[in-house]
């Protein structure tokens, strides 16, 4: 085996591959490559009214009971990027065929049933703003000033899978009304 930095890197890579191949009997504790189940073009590009743009690349999708009850499970994606703090939260009722929603999307409530489709993005203003201050924006697809389209191409729970695309402006009750989100998600859970 080669010696020196190249040899050490090659050795470390072989050990990592061997450990990955062995696996473990505890699937819930297995480490997963964040992009392992990601489809092509997996990312949402968020642009605020000042032209500041960033891309969120979620890496995990699950199914969970709807927050609105009714015994319905929704396909759920929650992703947080810690520094700087930015995130996305998505809930979609499973669909049998591609479905396009014009924004704003009626997100449902405890009386009417689970959300059809809901996408929420948030970001904190970069320093020097204090950490305890509110987000720079928190916008969603169900606010009145939202416009554009959200297309759910696939949403299922067995396995958890979400494929969607969005091209829209998200509304907010509290902050910047001019946040646009474009791109798509294509993730399958384990």
């Amino acid at each position: 085996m080669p010696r020196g930095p190249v040899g050490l890197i090659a050795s470390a890579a072989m050990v990592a591959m061997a450990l990955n191949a062995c696996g473990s009997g505890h699937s819930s504790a297995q480490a997963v490559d964040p992009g392992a189940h990601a489809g092509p073009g997996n990312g949402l590009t968020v642009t605020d009214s000042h032209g500041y743009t960033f891309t969120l690349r979620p890496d995990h999708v699950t199914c969970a009971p709807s927050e609105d009850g009714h015994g319905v499970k929704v396909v759920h994606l929650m992703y947080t990027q810690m520094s700087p703090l930015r995130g996305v939260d998505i809930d979609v009722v499973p669909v049998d065929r591609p479905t396009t929603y014009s924004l704003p999307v009626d997100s449902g409530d405890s009386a009417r049933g689970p959300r059809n489709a809901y996408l929420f993005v948030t970001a904190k203003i970069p320093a020097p703003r204090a950490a305890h201050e509110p987000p720079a924006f928190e916008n969603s697809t169900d606010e009145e000033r939202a416009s554009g389209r959200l297309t759910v191409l696939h949403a299922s729970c067995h396995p958890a899978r979400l494929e969607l695309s969005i091209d829209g402006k998200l509304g907010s009750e509290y902050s910047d009304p001019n946040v646009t989100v474009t791109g798509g998600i294509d993730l399958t859970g384990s």
Side-chain angles (χ1 to χ4, degrees):
M1 178 159 294
R3 299 204 182 264
V6 174
L8 290 175
I9 292 170
S11 297
M14 283 192 246
V15 169
M17 289 188 325
L19 289 174
N20 274 344
C22 291
S24 124
H26 305 286
S27 61
S28 63
Q30 287 180 346
V32 177
D33 174 7
H37 301 290
N42 191 41
L44 298 173
T45 300
V46 181
T47 306
D48 70 13
S49 61
H50 303 288
Y52 183 71
T53 298
F54 59 89
T55 300
L56 297 169
R57 298 194 187 282
D59 55 13
H60 188 70
V61 64
T62 61
C63 275
S66 168
E67 289 181 7
D68 298 313
H70 301 281
V72 174
K73 282 195 166 190
V74 293
V75 183
H76 179 72
L77 181 150
M78 185 171 184
Y79 174 78
T80 303
Q81 177 181 305
M82 296 308 286
S83 182
L85 186 60
R86 302 169 179 158
V88 63
D89 193 356
I90 302 173
D91 281 338
V92 177
V93 172
V95 296
D96 293 329
R97 61 178 184 240
T99 305
T100 297
Y101 300 95
S102 293
L103 304 183
V105 176
D106 180 11
S107 65
D109 60 29
S110 58
R112 291 177 287 155
R115 296 173 168 159
N116 296 315
Y118 175 76
L119 188 147
F120 173 87
V121 294
T122 187
K124 281 193 177 278
I125 292 175
R129 191 174 183 106
H132 67 277
E133 292 186 87
F137 61 82
E138 46 183 37
N139 293 55
S140 73
T141 54
D142 72 344
E143 294 298 329
E144 284 181 17
R145 291 186 265 179
S147 62
R149 290 180 176 223
L150 171 67
T151 300
V152 179
L153 300 165
H154 188 97
S156 65
C157 282
H158 303 288
R161 179 163 181 235
L162 180 60
E163 183 180 0
L164 63 77
S165 65
I166 184 168
D167 185 0
K169 187 178 289 185
L170 277 53
S172 177
E173 288 183 65
Y174 310 108
S175 57
D176 188 348
N178 297 312
V179 172
T180 60
V181 179
T182 58
I185 299 295
D186 186 359
L187 290 172
T188 301
S190 49

